[in-house]
Amino acid sequence: MKPIVTGFCFLFLSTYGWTQTTLNTDVLVIGGSTGGVGAAIQSARLQNKTILIEPTQWLGGMLTAAGVSCTDGNDELHSGIWMEFREELYKHYKTRNLFTGWISETCFEAQVGDSIFKAMFKREKFLTVKYQWFFEKALMMGKSITGAVFVNQKGQKLTVNASLVIDATDLGDVFASAGAGFDLGMEHPIYAKETMAPGKSDMIQDLTWVAVLKDYGPNANKTIPRPKNYDSTRYFCSCLDAPCPDGSAYKVNTEKMLDYALLPNKQYMINWPAHGNDYYVNVTSIPQIKRYEYLEAARQQTLGFVYFIQTQLGKKNLGLSPLFPGGSGLALMPYHREGRRVKGEVRLNVNDLIEPFDQNDPLYRTGISVGDYPVDHHHSKEKNPPNIDFPRVPSFSIPLGSLIPKDVENLIVAEKGISVSNIVNGSTRLQPCVLLTGQAAGALAAVVLKERKANPSYSVKQADVRNVQAQLLAAKAYLRPYFDVKPEHPNWISIQRIGVTGILKSRGVPEGWANKTFFDPDSLITENELSEGLGSFFGIGGLSKSNTKITVSNLKAQLIIVMLAKRIKISFWKSNEELQEVLSNRSINSSTALTKAQVAVILDHYLHPFNYPVDHFGRLNNSNDTPTIELRP
């Protein structure tokens, strides 16, 4: 049963021939994008009345309506709603092997993804969705957003008033309308604080209007009419079988090119960057409802590539699939890789990805979603993009403060428009990472609304990082991107909580298209390693330093030093039997060398460092006192 939406009014203006509806809600999610569905589901699960408004008929954005249904990244990060979604795909296809296309371990048909998200929405009694409404403008009271106005193709208006608003649009339409500062395009190295930044330019990444082709059998002829303004030379060099006068053809044949994004049931998702259907156009300044007409050239680029495949490459048996509404074979919307990026409370740059523990601001402590994709930008050669030496990065965490606009109150960002550099956008824009960032936005909204029950003036900017992280851990969502510690690991929560303190550090390993971060739970650590972590977190010296491996005995000695130096109360195990119970290991005694996972469990259970509040920069708010919040499960 759907919640009753209070404050409903209906107004018919016969003079002008249009209707206006007003709704009130706790949380308004603008955009049924990948981030939007994550935000709406998480918000509703935490029992906030949530309304999501979406321009198309589908849920999922780039994962579904844009047709990009071979996902990029996070194959081994079994986190939160992203993993829930994959489990539903496995159930639907009756297999855990969705490695049909060589680009991704998770390939599915877009309409299946949409149906899964709709089923997930239907299970949430606090969640309502409205389709085919376009965002028009933000409603403001001073610098605080109070809701939004939407319009449909019939000219009707919809106003939604909300306690909190989440911008889940692909291009950052809401925060721009609300007056938030934002960045667009490439950046100067000094501004970005990145040596490889190419210089200031408004150039954003290419978008792609995806098509899906279906194999109709060897004798079929599904050749489409020749597209208007068709120019076959646009697609030269797209593969080894295509004409390529300069000899720079992409080094795969036609079959390999098509199998790039092979979907179940012998269908092909056409999202080919090498002289294929990437297209440069910037429509950020065009109102949502008018964008379709400005994107016609992108659709023609894709239809031209389809025609080229059918005629020049001899694949007339491949025709447009009817899976999208209307049967056109083209996605409902383009795949936007980049739009505006909000100026947030914090800004993630590439240095935070490469060396998270060596920065002035330990943003990793505030992590709320994870990704493992490399820096990857798409730029048409026709636009003469600058040469960028993209850095190699390990897997990474998104900081909470990057979801919070600096200039506007009452607003959270949930899609690609979070506060990151242009370079970093090439890693954070991918589907699984964005879905998890959206989930974090929903958790953040819930924490703020709960605090407002006691303090009505409580701001999004005041949100307690650890409370948001605790909500996400309860939903089995990663804070740190550990490749080697999955949620089914018996110590997963303790390792995640200790990981975001930085007391026990991880090691990042760039590995191409699936970067990694290792916690090394079964390794042994030394007194030096632990004393460095404890000293850095609590701001103290005098801890034991040696290459001696940590044992039960010398770990206790380290904790006593922390207790005395900071005048804080630490509970200790009263016997080996008690510690054996905590560690689920009957062979533990005072001289046993402890694994890193066991040290994490002991620190988490007895010291509770996760309960010490940190600000949005990752700095301890109250390091001289005992923990001020209770976050134990």
Side-chain angles (χ1 to χ4, degrees):
M1 180 179 176
K2 297 294 183 187
I4 296 173
V5 181
T6 59
F8 175 93
C9 71
F10 177 79
L11 177 63
F12 177 71
L13 300 179
S14 57
T15 304
Y16 300 100
W18 53 272
T19 60
Q20 179 165 302
T21 302
T22 299
L23 305 173
N24 296 331
T25 190
D26 295 330
V27 177
L28 169 62
V29 179
I30 303 178
S33 60
T34 302
V37 296
I41 290 169
Q42 186 64 25
S43 171
R45 284 179 179 175
L46 296 173
Q47 300 187 3
N48 297 291
K49 287 190 297 184
T50 304
I51 294 177
L52 181 142
I53 310 292
E54 162 58 21
T56 73
Q57 305 162 49
W58 281 21
L59 293 174
M62 57 180 163
L63 272 172
T64 57
V68 192
S69 58
C70 280
T71 60
D72 296 297
N74 285 34
D75 292 320
E76 294 299 330
L77 296 174
H78 299 174
S79 179
I81 290 175
W82 158 238
M83 198 59 203
E84 291 179 43
F85 177 68
R86 286 212 292 179
E87 290 292 342
E88 292 298 323
L89 289 172
Y90 300 150
K91 289 179 187 176
H92 175 85
Y93 289 108
K94 298 180 173 59
T95 179
R96 299 187 74 81
N97 180 10
L98 297 179
F99 204 172
T100 51
W102 54 264
I103 192 60
S104 172
E105 290 186 18
T106 306
C107 290
F108 59 95
E109 296 155 288
Q111 81 277 16
V112 172
D114 169 61
S115 66
I116 287 172
F117 284 132
K118 283 176 176 168
M120 294 173 77
F121 269 49
K122 193 173 182 179
R123 292 194 288 268
E124 301 303 328
K125 67 178 182 178
F126 290 95
L127 181 53
T128 301
V129 60
K130 300 286 185 182
Y131 296 105
Q132 297 183 297
W133 288 95
F134 296 83
F135 171 76
E136 184 174 72
K137 65 179 180 179
L139 295 175
M140 304 297 296
M141 184 176 292
K143 290 192 173 183
S144 183
I145 188 169
T146 61
V149 178
F150 303 86
V151 63
N152 65 15
Q153 296 288 0
K154 299 176 183 178
Q156 297 169 323
K157 298 277 186 174
L158 171 65
T159 298
V160 184
N161 301 310
S163 299
L164 272 177
V165 177
I166 296 177
D167 182 349
T169 60
D170 281 285
L171 301 181
D173 299 321
V174 182
F175 64 71
S177 175
F182 60 84
D183 296 302
L184 182 69
M186 299 178 180
E187 297 164 343
H188 191 278
I190 295 175
Y191 177 80
K193 301 179 181 177
E194 298 167 333
T195 58
M196 73 293 300
K200 178 59 183 168
S201 163
D202 288 339
M203 188 186 300
I204 61 173
Q205 291 193 61
D206 296 352
L207 56 77
T208 302
W209 205 296
V210 166
V212 175
L213 302 182
K214 180 180 177 180
D215 188 345
Y216 287 89
N219 298 320
N221 184 351
K222 293 292 182 178
T223 305
I224 63 173
R226 181 186 175 98
K228 61 182 179 182
N229 302 320
Y230 173 70
D231 179 358
S232 64
T233 64
R234 293 179 183 175
Y235 314 107
F236 281 9
C237 306
S238 53
C239 68
L240 291 170
D241 299 321
C244 191
D246 66 4
S248 63
Y250 198 83
K251 305 300 182 184
V252 299
N253 62 19
T254 301
E255 297 296 337
K256 186 75 171 177
M257 179 183 74
L258 291 169
D259 285 346
Y260 165 87
L262 176 64
L263 306 178
N265 297 317
K266 203 63 175 175
Q267 297 182 92
Y268 303 89
M269 188 257 285
I270 306 300
N271 174 28
W272 187 248
H275 308 283
N277 56 329
D278 279 9
Y279 190 81
Y280 181 83
V281 59
N282 185 341
V283 294
T284 53
S285 63
I286 308 300
Q288 264 195 11
I289 197 166
K290 295 183 178 180
R291 280 180 187 154
Y292 195 88
E293 59 189 275
Y294 284 87
L295 292 163
E296 179 60 26
R299 287 191 292 278
Q300 291 301 318
Q301 176 78 10
T302 294
L303 288 171
F305 190 41
V306 170
Y307 187 75
F308 183 84
I309 291 169
Q310 293 171 327
T311 57
Q312 192 83 36
L313 300 181
K315 293 294 181 180
K316 64 182 181 180
N317 59 302
L318 300 184
L320 291 169
S321 170
L323 69 83
F324 294 107
S328 71
L330 295 184
L332 302 182
M333 56 176 282
Y335 172 30
H336 292 287
R337 292 182 177 86
E338 185 180 356
R340 308 174 184 91
R341 303 183 310 282
V342 75
K343 292 185 177 182
E345 285 292 282
V346 304
R347 191 172 195 263
L348 189 69
N349 67 38
V350 77
N351 305 302
D352 298 303
L353 272 59
I354 297 171
E355 298 289 352
F357 303 113
D358 294 341
Q359 307 307 312
N360 290 331
D361 297 323
L363 297 182
Y364 69 88
R365 288 180 178 166
T366 73
I368 43 77
S369 73
V370 294
D372 64 9
Y373 206 70
V375 179
D376 177 37
H377 287 196
H378 288 229
H379 291 292
S380 300
K381 289 186 176 181
E382 290 81 2
K383 295 296 292 184
N384 297 315
N387 232 353
I388 305 174
D389 184 15
F390 292 122
R392 298 176 72 231
V393 299
S395 53
F396 53 87
S397 297
I398 305 289
L400 181 65
S402 66
L403 280 60
I404 303 173
K406 183 181 286 292
D407 302 328
V408 176
E409 298 291 339
N410 228 36
L411 182 63
I412 299 168
V413 181
E415 249 285 333
K416 304 177 193 75
I418 61 174
S419 181
V420 298
S421 71
N422 167 256
I423 296 288
V424 168
N425 169 261
S427 291
T428 59
R429 66 178 173 81
L430 284 312
Q431 309 100 312
C433 182
V434 171
L435 182 62
L436 294 170
T437 301
Q439 183 173 10
L444 171 58
V447 165
V448 172
L449 291 178
K450 183 177 180 181
E451 292 294 335
R452 282 186 183 172
K453 291 178 181 178
N455 178 7
S457 64
Y458 193 85
S459 164
V460 174
K461 295 175 183 177
Q462 293 175 275
D464 187 276
V465 173
R466 295 298 191 225
N467 270 322
V468 177
Q469 290 176 324
Q471 295 289 350
L472 293 168
L473 288 176
K476 296 185 178 179
Y478 287 46
L479 310 178
R480 297 288 297 139
Y482 299 139
F483 170 83
D484 52 354
V485 187
K486 305 285 192 290
E488 55 268 25
H489 190 287
N491 307 133
W492 180 76
I493 285 185
S494 288
I495 288 170
Q496 285 287 321
R497 286 196 289 230
I498 295 301
V500 292
T501 68
I503 293 173
L504 299 180
K505 293 181 172 58
S506 52
R507 58 186 179 92
V509 180
E511 288 193 3
W513 297 102
N515 299 294
K516 295 178 174 62
T517 298
F518 294 90
F519 185 77
D520 298 313
D522 299 323
S523 66
L524 303 178
I525 64 171
T526 66
E527 282 192 322
N528 273 331
E529 292 173 88
L530 183 59
S531 63
E532 180 184 343
L534 287 170
S536 175
F537 185 78
F538 287 104
I540 59 174
L543 292 162
S544 302
K545 293 185 178 181
S546 75
N547 287 321
T548 303
K549 300 299 181 185
I550 287 293
T551 65
V552 172
S553 179
N554 60 28
L555 174 58
K556 192 169 189 177
Q558 295 268 43
L559 297 186
I560 289 172
I561 294 172
V562 172
M563 178 187 71
L564 294 174
K566 305 302 294 182
R567 299 189 301 278
I568 57 177
K569 181 180 179 181
I570 299 176
S571 58
F572 290 105
W573 51 96
K574 297 180 178 62
S575 65
N576 278 340
E577 288 75 18
E578 179 188 331
L579 195 57
Q580 289 169 357
E581 190 71 27
V582 170
L583 295 176
S584 302
N585 189 335
R586 293 294 174 189
S587 64
I588 292 290
N589 58 54
S590 296
S591 61
T592 301
L594 296 170
T595 67
K596 199 173 178 182
Q598 289 171 330
V599 174
V601 171
I602 292 171
L603 294 176
D604 186 47
H605 190 84
Y606 291 102
L607 183 57
H608 311 320
F610 178 75
N611 292 24
Y612 287 75
V614 295
D615 65 18
H616 290 296
F617 296 94
R619 309 181 194 112
L620 262 68
N621 283 344
N622 207 3
S623 59
N624 289 318
D625 300 319
T626 53
T628 58
I629 56 175
E630 179 56 40
L631 297 168
R632 310 301 297 165

